[in-house]
Amino acid sequence: MDYKELSQLIYPEITKTPEDYEAMYPPRNLPEGAMVTRLGPSPTGFIHLGNLYGAFVDERLAHQSGGVFYLRIEDTDDKRFVENAVETVISSLGFFDIKFDEGVTEHGDVGDYGDYTQSHRGEIYRTFAKWLIAQGKAYPCFLTSEEIDSIRAEQEAQKLAPGIYAGWSRYRDWDKDPEIQAEVISKIKAGEDFVIRLRSEGTPNAAGQDIKRNKVVDAIRGGLDVPENFQDIVIIKTTGIPTYHFAHVIDDHLMRTTHVVRGEEWLPSLPIHVELFRDMGWELPVYCHTAQLMKIGEEGHKRKLSKRKDPELSLSYYRDMGYHPAAVREYLLTILNSNFEEWRIANPEADIDQFKFTTEKMSNSGALFDLDKLNDVSKDVLLRIPAEELAQFLKNWSDEFAPEYGFMFEDMDYLTQILNIGRGDKKPRKDLIYARQIVSFISYFFDESFKIEDKYPEEAAEDADEILREYLSTYDHSDDQSQWFEKIREIASSCGYAAKPKDYKKNPDDYKGHVGHVSTVIRIALMGRAQSPDVWTIQQIMGEKKVRQRIEQALTDR
Ligand code: GLU
């Protein structure tokens, strides 16, 4: 029996050839330099910051170059499939403005290079596996797990590299030994379990011999010196399902991917992919191995973000907290490209998409993720978003994640004015960070969420009632800011407080306190807090009725 006959015995139902698929999926008709990228998540239902980080790179590379970014579902590990996982991927990334041009969508596949779900591509993988067997580049292997264990023990004893490679699987050279050949044929006919292994052309590193190396260019890391693969890795599992290695090579070739962006955890298997592409006679895509996302852990050491310890690893965290997608995007760019912050300083108002993202400016050692930094970036980004738009964003967030704040959205004009406080100033206030923080920050504007949080200052606590009564009786809602403040000074003086803090500082014994203590009493009665933006401005937004009600309430509550 020759290779070809063996391939026919294993896959009699496969009638297509690699040429058929090459013809079905011709090179894409795209302008010179256009990049084709993909995201290949496993449908586990957990979509994390790392996915977003990688997807951002994919999206930028494709869309900056006039190329294509597509979604492929990598569900060859069928144990992990979670209901609605595909919708979760699409909607989670869509929220951050990462949009696919092609591939799996909520309404089926879009594009000419599908099917885009690996579990639907069995015939394709088998066709290429059949072809490799027919070339003598792959073989069926019947080693049991016990046999593999004892091979490993033997390799350990001999201090050899572990694994199945030349000299270790008796099935590798089945064609040279009539006895093994007969065994292989009868086992296939009897329907016994087997895997298909690559018949690696690499040379195992015998003692004292250096392993050969290949040069591979990584767009983030530059030239890599990759050791040659010599392992007869499994390409098709006993279940008939391909391994990641094989599926990735076939798919990225047939879908005409130009740039493979993936996590650096795949670097160790790069030698396998280099060999597979070569065995298939295909050009290697440009690999972009992204750095791990790290954080400064509790003990001050850099460590990987962990699913168990760090809620911020999950994308749902940002949506639940109500981070604006523009803020997350802006922050991701600061960790993705070292020159982004400089660009932003030079172009404070520019649309983020005008920044030219490049893989060369990406870090190749752990990218540091820092929530405090995200919050700082978010403060600036929210300042650039018009208040009406921000109000709508908050409403959408509340509808989905925090309906208990629904009362804040009954009067959108009121909310918009609240959000606008201090934004137009020369040194604008940077109070707003993310939805959960914002609704708490502005809670005192609404009777439903207003509560007294701080105590009256000691200096003025005893006179609080008098101060508030005075305030109420002299209050005129049409006073401008300086008239209003003049009245506060008068109240201060009449109650025995210095009208100017500096007078109090000079002669503290002459006064009970100063005007600041008096205005804090008013502030606490109105806002429940000792700190807030400008009181006069807030009163103008709240309206006269609410101002009077709050002061009266403070008087009766005491
Ligand atoms: N399915 C792989 C994963 O979830 C994708 C790796 C790749 O992008 O090639 O890690």
Side-chain angles (χ1 to χ4, degrees):
M1 177 171 269
D2 63 15
Y3 298 140
K4 191 145 194 232
E5 287 160 341
L6 178 71
S7 74
Q8 187 58 22
L9 182 66
I10 295 175
Y11 293 124
E13 78 288 4
I14 296 293
T15 53
K16 287 208 181 68
T17 64
E19 290 76 37
D20 293 328
Y21 287 109
E22 292 289 338
M24 269 169 78
Y25 305 114
R28 291 171 186 263
N29 191 6
L30 290 170
E32 180 78 26
M35 301 181 188
V36 179
T37 60
R38 86 298 193 276
L39 190 73
S42 306
T44 57
F46 180 66
I47 169 118
H48 55 80
L49 202 60
N51 298 122
L52 179 64
Y53 181 83
F56 203 92
V57 179
D58 282 314
E59 189 272 343
R60 285 291 76 207
L61 294 183
H63 292 157
Q64 276 180 181
S65 65
V68 174
F69 174 38
Y70 69 89
L71 175 63
R72 179 168 75 218
I73 296 300
E74 306 210 328
D75 56 348
T76 52
D77 190 352
D78 43 8
K79 289 189 294 291
R80 298 194 292 168
F81 199 95
V82 167
E83 203 62 37
N84 294 327
V86 173
E87 287 77 3
T88 306
V89 171
I90 295 172
S91 74
S92 310
L93 294 174
F95 179 77
F96 295 101
D97 217 18
I98 304 281
K99 307 246 164 64
F100 298 98
D101 309 302
E102 184 179 305
V104 179
T105 76
E106 294 102 318
H107 322 288
D109 280 3
V110 168
D112 297 333
Y113 290 83
D115 198 300
Y116 296 94
T117 301
Q118 286 186 331
S119 61
H120 303 167
R121 298 172 63 78
E123 190 187 347
I124 300 180
Y125 304 126
R126 286 195 292 279
T127 303
F128 286 92
K130 182 176 184 179
W131 180 81
L132 280 173
I133 297 166
Q135 306 299 305
K137 292 181 177 182
Y139 63 94
C141 182
F142 299 85
L143 291 176
T144 61
S145 45
E146 293 76 40
E147 285 171 313
I148 293 177
D149 287 346
S150 68
I151 288 173
R152 177 170 293 247
E154 179 65 32
Q155 288 166 332
E156 260 166 38
Q158 292 189 38
K159 298 204 167 19
L160 291 172
I164 303 302
Y165 51 90
W168 293 97
S169 171
R170 24 199 243 102
Y171 304 102
R172 180 179 155 106
D173 292 315
W174 63 275
D175 55 319
K176 311 234 166 49
D177 182 330
E179 212 176 292
I180 301 175
Q181 188 168 144
E183 181 193 336
V184 166
I185 294 169
S186 82
K187 283 188 151 128
I188 292 170
K189 287 190 172 155
E192 281 189 30
D193 277 352
F194 60 87
V195 297
I196 305 288
R197 283 185 189 277
L198 176 73
R199 192 174 185 286
S200 174
E201 288 166 12
T203 316
N205 50 341
Q209 193 186 317
D210 278 343
I211 199 145
K212 281 214 298 218
R213 308 192 78 92
N214 293 306
K215 287 256 177 279
V216 178
V217 176
D218 181 295
I220 297 173
R221 285 149 204 274
L224 296 176
D225 193 28
V226 178
E228 178 186 63
N229 173 59
F230 59 83
Q231 297 278 347
D232 287 357
I233 52 114
V234 174
I235 57 172
I236 304 276
K237 300 182 255 190
T238 43
T239 50
I241 292 172
T243 53
Y244 165 78
H245 306 305
F246 194 52
H248 140 57
V249 169
I250 305 291
D251 292 348
D252 281 321
H253 172 72
L254 291 182
M255 297 179 185
R256 308 291 170 179
T257 311
T258 63
H259 289 66
V260 170
V261 178
R262 61 182 182 186
E264 68 183 355
E265 67 275 18
W266 293 108
L267 270 174
S269 29
L270 188 55
I272 296 170
H273 307 146
V274 171
E275 177 169 17
L276 280 171
F277 271 101
R278 196 189 50 218
D279 288 344
M280 301 304 302
W282 296 335
E283 201 186 318
L284 211 59
V286 178
Y287 284 100
C288 313
H289 288 97
T290 57
Q292 279 279 1
L293 285 177
M294 314 283 278
K295 75 181 270 184
I296 303 288
E298 300 64 34
E299 302 83 33
H301 302 304
K302 247 190 184 187
R303 63 164 174 79
K304 277 197 255 173
L305 280 167
S306 112
K307 189 169 168 178
R308 199 168 45 81
K309 291 193 215 151
D310 307 310
E312 72 266 33
L313 183 59
S314 166
L315 285 193
S316 54
Y317 173 82
Y318 303 90
R319 297 187 64 182
D320 179 79
M321 297 299 267
Y323 279 95
H324 195 284
V328 177
R329 280 171 70 86
E330 180 100 2
Y331 175 60
L332 276 183
L333 262 186
T334 67
I335 47 177
L336 276 167
N337 258 191
S338 51
N339 53 332
F340 176 73
E341 284 183 90
E342 216 175 289
W343 175 86
R344 178 49 91 197
I345 292 168
N347 303 276
E349 301 299 324
D351 186 303
I352 194 172
D353 286 350
Q354 285 170 14
F355 172 73
K356 175 100 175 82
F357 171 80
T358 55
T359 45
E360 291 79 17
K361 293 275 191 233
M362 285 180 73
S363 138
N364 56 21
S365 59
L368 201 58
F369 185 81
D370 176 1
L371 273 179
D372 292 335
K373 183 76 203 278
L374 166 64
N375 288 342
D376 280 345
V377 168
S378 188
K379 289 176 189 168
D380 286 320
V381 170
L382 294 198
L383 274 181
R384 291 198 290 271
I385 297 173
E388 306 80 68
E389 209 177 304
L390 200 54
Q392 190 56 47
F393 167 75
L394 292 175
K395 181 176 186 322
N396 297 345
W397 167 80
S398 157
D399 286 349
E400 194 172 349
F401 297 99
E404 64 274 24
Y405 294 104
F407 58 84
M408 291 191 177
F409 307 98
E410 281 158 17
D411 182 347
M412 293 297 273
D413 280 344
Y414 182 55
L415 178 61
T416 304
Q417 286 182 59
I418 295 170
L419 297 174
N420 245 340
I421 296 175
R423 300 177 114 226
D425 302 358
K426 228 192 265 126
K427 260 194 101 210
R429 294 187 64 96
K430 295 186 181 177
D431 298 316
L432 313 180
I433 312 174
Y434 53 88
R436 257 185 216 287
Q437 172 267 336
I438 296 172
V439 291
S440 135
F441 184 75
I442 64 173
S443 58
Y444 57 81
F445 279 95
F446 304 87
D447 293 338
E448 292 86 340
S449 49
F450 169 68
K451 56 177 188 298
I452 303 285
E453 290 173 9
D454 291 329
K455 285 207 180 70
Y456 290 137
E458 243 174 62
E459 292 84 345
E462 275 188 17
D463 298 318
D465 276 3
E466 194 187 340
I467 293 170
L468 293 176
R469 263 196 301 274
E470 265 305 277
Y471 187 66
L472 201 56
S473 66
T474 58
Y475 187 75
D476 181 345
H477 196 66
S478 61
D479 282 346
D480 67 17
Q481 192 159 12
S482 57
Q483 286 165 331
W484 167 79
F485 195 60
E486 207 35 58
K487 280 187 183 163
I488 308 262
R489 285 198 209 277
E490 280 161 22
I491 297 171
S493 305
S494 75
C495 297
Y497 293 77
K500 293 191 175 133
K502 69 169 192 284
D503 295 340
Y504 173 64
K505 260 184 215 129
K506 247 190 268 159
N507 301 307
D509 295 338
D510 295 354
Y511 306 98
K512 298 183 192 162
H514 62 75
V515 65
H517 300 123
V518 173
S519 65
T520 301
V521 168
I522 296 164
R523 195 186 288 267
I524 288 174
L526 287 170
M527 271 77 90
R529 308 177 185 180
Q531 304 286 333
S532 78
D534 175 63
V535 176
W536 180 83
T537 311
I538 292 175
Q539 293 179 142
Q540 292 302 308
I541 295 173
M542 278 184 173
E544 178 165 9
K545 196 166 144 221
K546 204 189 287 297
V547 172
R548 291 191 179 278
Q549 264 171 8
R550 291 261 167 109
I551 303 289
E552 276 157 13
Q553 187 64 41
L555 281 166
T556 44
D557 280 355
R558 279 169 59 88

